[in-house]
Amino acid sequence: MRSKMLQIKLPDGSIKEYPEGTSPREVAAGIGKRLAEAAVAAVANGAIVDLDRPIEHGESNGDPVELRLLTSRDREALDVLRHSTAHIMARAIMRLFPGVRLAFGPTTANGYYYDVEVDGRSISEDDFPAIETEMARITKDAEPFERFMLPVDQARTFVADLGQTLKVEHIDDELHKYGILSFYRQGEFVDLCRGPHIPHAGKVGAFKLLSIAGSYWKGQTDRSMLQRIYGTAFFDKKELDAYLAQVEEARKRDHRKLGKELNLFTISPLVGPGLILWMPKGAIIRGILENFMKTELMKRGYFPVYTPHIGKIELYKTSGHYPYYKDSQFPTLKMPADASAKELLDGLIAGNVDDAAQRVLLGKAGIPERLPDPASETKFTKPFFEMSVAERIGYLEQTCEFEEYLLKPMNCPHHIQIYAAQPRSYRDLPLRLAEFGTVYRYEQSGELSGMTRVRGFTQDDAHLFCTHEQVRGEFRATMELTQFVLSSLGLSDYRVRLSKHDPEDPKYKGAEGDVWRNAEDDIRSVLDEMKLPYDEAAGEAAFYGPKADFIVRDCIGRQWQLGTVQLDYVLPERFGLEYVGADNHPHRPVMIHRAPFGSMERFMGILIEHFAGAFPLWLAPEQVRVLPISDKAADYAQKVLNKLTEAGFRASLDHRPEKIGAKIRDAQLEKIPVMFVVGAKEAENESVAYRDRLAGDLGVMPLSQALARIQTETDERVFHQTATAAAPPPTEESGEQHAY
């Protein structure tokens, strides 16, 4: 009987027929021997699969299967390689530490990790050389990754027999619903895994173990503590070397280290983790950035507003922020609505209010001294003054009307209330409201990281209220503003991501209608009109609308999400916002949310690392330092300092009795952009020896010329990049992949 034939569509558009069950490797071999040797995996109808996995009709729904073969040049292939290297690392660890229990081993944006549990001892970085040696043996043997399937009951028994109790628990908790589970075998090593994997371990060109950290099983603090071993892998050693050079450069630029050395910010355990204290030098930089933005916004027709740090919980329930972000918000502040009831409750808790005062406060608050007993139609509760203090507090909590407040997680609901405070006409629109507003999120302590992951942060937030006809023009203007801000700060290497909703995600309930599609089309139209290259990402939208995110690449190749512009048809509907149109009828406005900096804290952390702490002249907290060669030039040095400060420059005078070489060295270490060195000759000629932190000695010039030079460089916002490490090819901001 003739076997079924399968149609396969190749990237060049050609369609060829193959017997059902043909593998991507066989397709590659039919195209050419060199392609078959270079292939690592394949993409069949959008899903990455093993090179030897049979292609079935079921994957095509009757249409041709779209097949793309992956080689080391493809970004997707690198994820497959790294996931396979995670298995190789786990295998090496199990050889060296018998009895290891495996958890998860996914890929990350720049590598992979595996969570393991070891009895009796901890793995440390001292063990890395031995683990890497064992990994090298495994890659040299080039054994294949072999996939096999088991029904879930057999799979559970199988992993139980292997002593992999965490895998058993994972099957019981989540995987039992799948019916059949996949495994991968490589030599004596077998792991529960959905794949895909490279054909054999010999495809791994280079790898490196990077670090180790603690982690909780499934991220839950009440479950087992595991060890997470991080590593990375590449097809080629040159790529690994470039990446490690980048990591080393990033370590030197770590904003937590430089922030402390340069006195830019601090975090106090008494204030609380994740709450940034801006020190004077850091506050100067922040102030410059804020003034730069405020000046630009005034030119573009924005109005400044200020809003409180808290709001009633009903505000955030209406907006939707409370239910969507409840787990990442601080607990609510709950207090009696009546001032007398609050005074009474506070007095009972503090123990400083007597019965007479309590009786007065009860009367003022309108609270009866006893209530009908809910368990009986004829009885009453115990009289208030026969209760213990704890019972009285409980009684008040039962009888008082309470108000709940929340540390604000977002500024937009507050700005919406400003819009709604008065009637609006179409002639008032667009209305652009801007605020440097501080918001609060309760990030888990293990996720906090210097200034880039905090619990309190200030957004350069603005919300635009406009008509439907104005949407595309206003959206484009906010995109152009973000481009201007980034380029003004030397961050001109970026890509744009159109972040869309995911129909499968309950977060976007109701988002599948025309409103969301229209919003995504509006953004797409603006990006096309601006000729901005962009990629689209499902599931990255805000719960209230799609957005355009700026993914910025810094001077050593790392990528950061910074500015964002969001289009929102949802919140105006939730709050019932209106304006009176030209037809004299009410209409619903559209909102645009935008924040070019994003978070001032995160942006500052990224800037510190981008400039390695050496801020350009216009942004530096101290722009110029005057360095007298000796006491003979002290009076002239003071005169030069006065000229600088009168001209509005941030300058200081180093009058220490040190040699000029030591003064220059210290100024270099403190990353002062410009030094004016003065001696007797300079004093006589009203000149300075101009020294640039990067370019070095630029010679003696008249003081007026030196002042004009720094004024021009400040006005033009000149940048001098100081990157030294070569960057590997950019990586996507991907999350964990390839893990059961």
Side-chain angles (χ1 to χ4, degrees):
M1 187 171 110
R2 185 180 175 189
S3 63
K4 291 182 180 178
M5 298 302 290
L6 180 72
Q7 287 190 323
I8 293 179
K9 183 178 180 180
L10 298 174
D12 63 2
S14 63
I15 297 176
K16 298 183 179 181
E17 284 197 342
Y18 295 87
E20 183 172 1
T22 295
S23 69
R25 183 195 296 278
E26 291 169 324
V27 175
I31 297 172
K33 182 179 178 182
R34 291 181 64 182
L35 178 59
E37 291 174 351
V40 174
V43 180
N45 281 348
I48 304 176
V49 297
D50 301 314
L51 207 56
D52 291 313
R53 184 169 175 176
I55 305 171
E56 306 291 347
H57 270 290
E59 298 178 43
S60 64
N61 295 319
D63 296 323
V65 175
E66 294 190 13
L67 185 72
R68 180 162 59 93
L69 296 161
L70 301 178
T71 70
S72 60
R73 297 180 180 180
D74 295 292
R75 179 61 183 85
E76 301 101 318
L78 190 56
D79 278 335
V80 177
L81 177 91
R82 286 171 171 170
H83 181 53
S84 299
T85 310
H87 276 227
I88 292 168
M89 181 182 74
R91 183 181 181 188
I93 290 171
M94 292 188 74
R95 284 181 175 181
L96 296 170
F97 305 97
V100 166
R101 289 176 293 282
L102 304 175
F104 298 134
T107 60
T108 63
N110 292 304
Y112 60 87
Y113 68 77
Y114 218 119
D115 286 344
V116 301
E117 188 175 42
V118 187
D119 286 335
R121 64 155 294 178
S122 294
I123 297 174
S124 72
E125 292 190 11
D126 293 338
D127 297 308
F128 283 4
I131 296 171
E132 289 177 336
T133 298
E134 199 61 43
M135 291 173 68
R137 291 193 184 100
I138 294 170
T139 57
K140 184 178 179 181
D141 290 341
E143 292 172 292
F145 284 87
E146 300 171 324
R147 184 174 187 265
F148 65 92
M149 311 285 289
L150 289 176
V152 67
D153 291 343
Q154 293 182 32
R156 188 188 188 284
T157 302
F158 183 74
V159 294
D161 289 343
L162 292 174
Q164 294 298 330
T165 54
L166 296 176
K167 303 283 187 181
V168 172
E169 186 177 336
H170 190 42
I171 291 173
D172 290 343
D173 287 349
E174 299 176 39
L175 301 186
H176 60 86
K177 60 188 176 186
Y178 291 110
I180 296 178
L181 302 178
S182 63
F183 291 80
Y184 281 83
R185 175 185 287 114
Q186 195 207 23
E188 83 284 358
F189 178 78
V190 182
D191 197 7
L192 173 67
C193 178
R194 68 182 176 210
H197 284 283
I198 55 179
H200 59 79
K203 288 283 187 181
V204 180
F207 59 84
K208 182 70 177 174
L209 301 191
L210 300 175
S211 62
I212 191 165
S215 66
Y216 289 104
W217 171 228
K218 296 196 173 184
Q220 299 172 9
T221 56
D222 59 345
R223 306 187 83 166
S224 303
M225 172 62 81
L226 309 174
Q227 290 189 279
R228 177 169 293 178
I229 299 114
Y230 288 94
T232 192
F234 291 88
F235 286 101
D236 183 84
K237 190 175 185 301
K238 289 182 181 178
E239 292 176 342
L240 174 63
D241 290 342
Y243 174 73
L244 294 177
Q246 182 197 46
V247 170
E248 180 57 31
E249 182 68 16
R251 187 175 289 115
K252 293 176 185 176
R253 293 167 176 262
D254 190 326
H255 75 279
R256 293 165 295 186
K257 171 177 172 287
L258 291 175
K260 183 177 181 180
E261 291 175 358
L262 300 175
N263 296 316
L264 299 174
F265 73 95
T266 188
I267 299 173
S268 165
L270 285 177
V271 175
L275 300 172
I276 302 299
L277 300 174
W278 294 75
M279 300 174 77
K281 288 183 178 180
I284 288 172
I285 299 172
R286 172 171 167 167
I288 295 168
L289 291 172
E290 289 185 359
N291 290 335
F292 161 68
M293 178 64 78
K294 288 175 181 177
T295 300
E296 192 61 33
L297 294 182
M298 291 298 289
K299 294 178 186 176
R300 295 173 184 251
Y302 284 77
F303 294 102
V305 296
Y306 294 96
T307 60
H309 290 248
I310 64 172
K312 292 180 72 172
I313 196 168
E314 287 77 16
L315 175 69
Y316 308 109
K317 287 181 177 179
T318 301
S319 70
H321 290 99
Y322 183 72
Y324 282 121
Y325 299 119
K326 183 178 179 181
D327 293 340
S328 61
Q329 291 172 2
F330 280 85
T332 58
L333 308 171
K334 192 175 180 182
M335 61 192 71
D338 183 87
S340 297
K342 183 179 185 306
E343 184 180 348
L344 175 56
L345 186 61
D346 290 344
L348 286 169
I349 293 171
N352 58 8
V353 57
D354 59 23
D355 283 1
Q358 290 178 41
R359 181 168 278 109
V360 171
L361 290 171
L362 280 173
K364 286 184 177 180
I367 299 172
E369 294 186 15
R370 59 191 305 187
L371 291 173
D373 190 335
S376 170
E377 294 182 359
T378 57
K379 294 183 179 180
F380 284 79
T381 58
K382 184 192 298 185
F384 184 83
F385 291 101
E386 293 180 13
M387 298 179 186
S388 66
V389 172
E391 288 174 325
R392 294 182 190 187
I393 292 172
Y395 179 80
L396 291 178
E397 290 177 343
Q398 176 188 350
T399 55
C400 286
E401 180 181 344
F402 279 81
E403 291 181 336
E404 282 190 90
Y405 290 84
L406 189 66
L407 285 171
K408 73 174 173 183
M410 290 285 189
N411 297 303
C412 38
H414 294 245
H415 291 188
I416 286 171
Q417 295 309 299
I418 292 175
Y419 177 92
Q422 64 190 76
R424 304 287 178 179
S425 161
Y426 71 97
R427 293 188 179 90
D428 301 323
L429 306 184
L431 177 66
R432 308 178 187 98
L433 304 178
E435 175 184 20
F436 282 86
T438 303
V439 297
Y440 302 89
R441 313 276 174 79
Y442 191 79
E443 301 285 359
Q444 296 298 316
S445 57
E447 296 176 342
L448 299 175
S449 179
M451 300 186 93
T452 57
R453 197 72 180 265
V454 294
R455 287 177 173 166
F457 55 94
T458 302
Q459 294 178 307
D460 62 320
D461 222 346
H463 296 92
L464 294 77
F465 301 84
C466 59
T467 68
H468 286 72
E469 294 76 19
Q470 295 167 337
V471 164
R472 294 188 180 185
E474 289 298 307
F475 198 92
R476 174 166 183 156
T478 56
M479 292 288 291
E480 290 171 344
L481 170 64
T482 305
Q483 288 179 301
F484 170 76
V485 169
L486 294 177
S487 63
S488 296
L489 288 157
L491 298 168
S492 55
D493 185 0
Y494 57 78
R495 61 185 174 86
V496 176
R497 180 179 67 204
L498 170 51
S499 297
K500 306 185 299 182
H501 77 289
D502 179 356
E504 303 299 321
D505 190 335
K507 168 181 170 182
Y508 303 107
K509 184 178 180 182
E512 64 278 359
D514 289 340
V515 167
W516 271 78
R517 282 194 294 272
N518 291 341
E520 290 171 1
D521 287 344
D522 283 337
I523 297 177
R524 194 178 288 109
S525 174
V526 170
L527 297 178
D528 290 339
E529 182 182 287
M530 295 177 70
K531 295 182 171 54
L532 272 176
Y534 62 94
D535 54 80
E536 301 191 13
E540 294 293 334
F543 74 87
Y544 47 76
K547 54 183 178 160
D549 294 319
F550 285 77
I551 313 301
V552 178
R553 187 179 181 191
D554 69 14
C555 62
I556 62 169
R558 297 167 304 176
Q559 295 189 85
W560 309 88
Q561 181 185 327
L562 292 180
T564 184
V565 184
Q566 306 170 353
L567 186 54
D568 177 7
Y569 287 81
V570 173
L571 292 189
E573 188 71 34
R574 284 176 176 262
F575 283 95
L577 300 184
E578 292 183 346
Y579 68 89
V580 177
D583 58 1
N584 211 31
H585 287 89
H587 297 269
R588 192 79 72 213
V590 182
M591 281 182 70
I592 296 174
H593 309 237
R594 70 105 193 97
F597 290 143
S599 149
M600 296 303 295
E601 285 75 10
R602 187 167 187 265
F603 196 85
M604 179 66 168
I606 292 167
L607 278 187
I608 292 171
E609 298 192 2
H610 181 64
F611 293 120
F615 292 94
L617 181 65
W618 72 276
L619 201 52
E622 182 181 341
Q623 295 173 294
V624 185
R625 183 168 293 178
V626 183
L627 308 178
I629 294 174
S630 67
D631 288 343
K632 294 179 181 179
D635 290 343
Y636 179 63
Q638 184 63 52
K639 180 180 178 181
V640 171
L641 177 65
N642 293 342
K643 289 282 188 181
L644 284 163
T645 54
E646 287 168 8
F649 294 108
R650 300 177 294 279
S652 70
L653 170 62
D654 186 347
H655 47 66
R656 297 175 301 159
E658 301 284 348
K659 291 184 178 180
I660 191 63
K663 292 181 179 182
I664 291 172
R665 184 183 64 250
D666 290 345
Q668 288 281 139
L669 290 173
E670 293 178 47
K671 304 185 186 297
I672 310 302
V674 174
M675 290 150 263
F676 285 177
V677 181
V678 296
K681 288 184 179 180
E682 287 76 20
E684 184 179 345
N685 299 321
E686 289 272 327
S687 61
V688 297
Y690 193 113
R691 185 175 185 85
D692 183 273
R693 189 186 66 81
L694 291 176
D697 187 4
L698 299 183
V700 176
M701 63 184 71
L703 175 58
S704 59
Q705 182 182 338
L707 291 172
R709 183 187 182 103
I710 59 174
Q711 186 66 61
T712 299
E713 190 167 329
T714 299
D715 292 344
E716 295 179 357
R717 302 191 191 97
V718 175
F719 291 95
H720 303 288
Q721 297 291 11
T722 59
T724 58
T731 57
E732 296 296 319
E733 294 186 314
S734 57
E736 299 178 4
Q737 301 175 18
H738 309 307
Y740 253 134

